[in-house]
Amino acid sequence: MLNYGRVKDALTMSTEPFPGSEDPLVSLVRPINSWEDYNKFSIQLSARPTIGCWHPMWTIITQLQDFQSPTADGSTITLNRPWFILGWQNDIELPHGFRLNASLQWYSKGDYNNFRMTSTRLFTNVGLQRDFNLKRMGTLTFDLRCSDIFHTNKTDAIVFGYRELTTHNPARRTFVLDLTWKFNEARSKYRGSGAGEKQKARMYRCRAVRPFFVTIC
């Protein structure tokens, strides 16, 4: 997949001196629209084969831009360093109705809007799901997930603007358990044995009418 865009009024973060403060370490960070239009080009390659009960997906994404931003010394910088994403997602069908999901994404250094990513990061996720048929009581879905297993999803970046800020987003490993109970589901006349036979017979009768008549069924 190839994608090109001429971006106008992109939402980005502005770093400015805080009004009324003489301290250069105190800054105001707020969302604004970009100063200038810029070009953005991305390429994505992906493959999703099926190997028995294993459904892997491999993805490579790269993005290039020519975003211009003011700097602290009054000049203008063009942020045009490309960045890459490598992804590997796996869906595995296990015995007894269990499903295992495991994914990995690696992010390179590079520029995105007025952010310059100064370190690489790795994000891993694993999940286990199973549906339990409760018969007349409905269906219960069990979904257990762990995000950032190896505690490596941390971001370091420079935010360019009239004040240049260095940011750090620490890694956070999280565990989530979702239980979804679907009960009292509405029955449809289009499901089950012989579903739709009356509707198909009715449509057949309409088609049997001579073509110079307009029939509304």
Side-chain angles (χ1 to χ4, degrees):
M1 180 174 68
L2 305 177
N3 185 36
Y4 166 78
R6 178 71 177 175
V7 184
K8 180 178 181 179
D9 295 333
L11 184 64
T12 186
M13 301 303 295
S14 171
T15 58
E16 308 166 3
F18 193 84
S21 176
E22 300 295 333
D23 189 345
L25 298 179
V26 179
S27 300
L28 173 65
V29 180
R30 64 186 179 94
I32 64 168
N33 294 104
S34 58
W35 296 272
E36 301 287 345
D37 300 352
Y38 70 100
N39 300 296
K40 184 168 65 174
F41 180 70
S42 63
I43 304 174
Q44 177 175 331
L45 303 175
S46 61
R48 189 180 179 89
T50 297
I51 306 172
C53 62
W54 177 33
H55 306 275
M57 181 174 181
W58 296 284
T59 306
I60 301 176
I61 302 173
T62 183
Q63 178 175 299
L64 302 93
Q65 64 172 26
D66 58 357
F67 189 98
Q68 292 188 333
S69 171
T71 62
D73 62 7
S75 62
T76 300
I77 186 174
T78 300
L79 300 169
N80 55 7
R81 296 180 181 178
W83 58 265
F84 301 86
I85 300 177
L86 304 180
W88 183 8
Q89 181 176 336
N90 301 274
D91 296 317
I92 304 174
E93 300 171 7
L94 301 176
H96 308 293
F98 284 95
R99 300 182 300 275
L100 177 66
N101 311 115
S103 61
L104 179 149
Q105 287 184 320
W106 177 83
Y107 298 81
S108 73
K109 302 177 183 179
D111 296 338
Y112 182 81
N113 284 6
N114 63 325
F115 287 78
R116 172 158 289 172
M117 309 303 173
T118 57
S119 65
T120 61
R121 61 190 178 104
L122 179 68
F123 177 69
T124 52
N125 180 52
V126 65
L128 184 68
Q129 299 88 35
R130 191 183 191 283
D131 297 327
F132 296 91
N133 186 359
L134 305 181
K135 298 182 180 180
R136 292 186 177 181
M137 296 181 62
T139 303
L140 179 67
T141 300
F142 168 93
D143 189 347
L144 177 64
R145 294 184 178 272
C146 176
S147 299
D148 196 14
I149 303 170
F150 302 110
H151 210 247
T152 53
N153 188 29
K154 52 188 176 182
T155 305
D156 295 292
I158 299 175
V159 186
F160 284 93
Y162 297 109
R163 290 279 176 87
E164 294 179 13
L165 302 181
T166 300
T167 66
H168 174 72
N169 185 21
R172 296 179 178 88
R173 183 187 296 117
T174 59
F175 294 88
V176 177
L177 173 61
D178 285 335
L179 295 176
T180 305
W181 181 21
K182 296 181 181 180
F183 60 94
N184 210 16
E185 294 182 282
R187 295 183 177 274
S188 172
K189 62 182 178 181
Y190 298 103
R191 295 187 297 184
S193 177
E197 293 299 327
K198 293 182 179 179
Q199 284 71 24
K200 287 189 289 184
R202 183 166 167 261
M203 293 174 64
Y204 177 79
R205 289 196 300 272
C206 292
R207 289 196 301 267
V209 178
R210 293 183 179 180
F212 50 82
F213 287 102
V214 177
T215 305
I216 300 177
C217 299

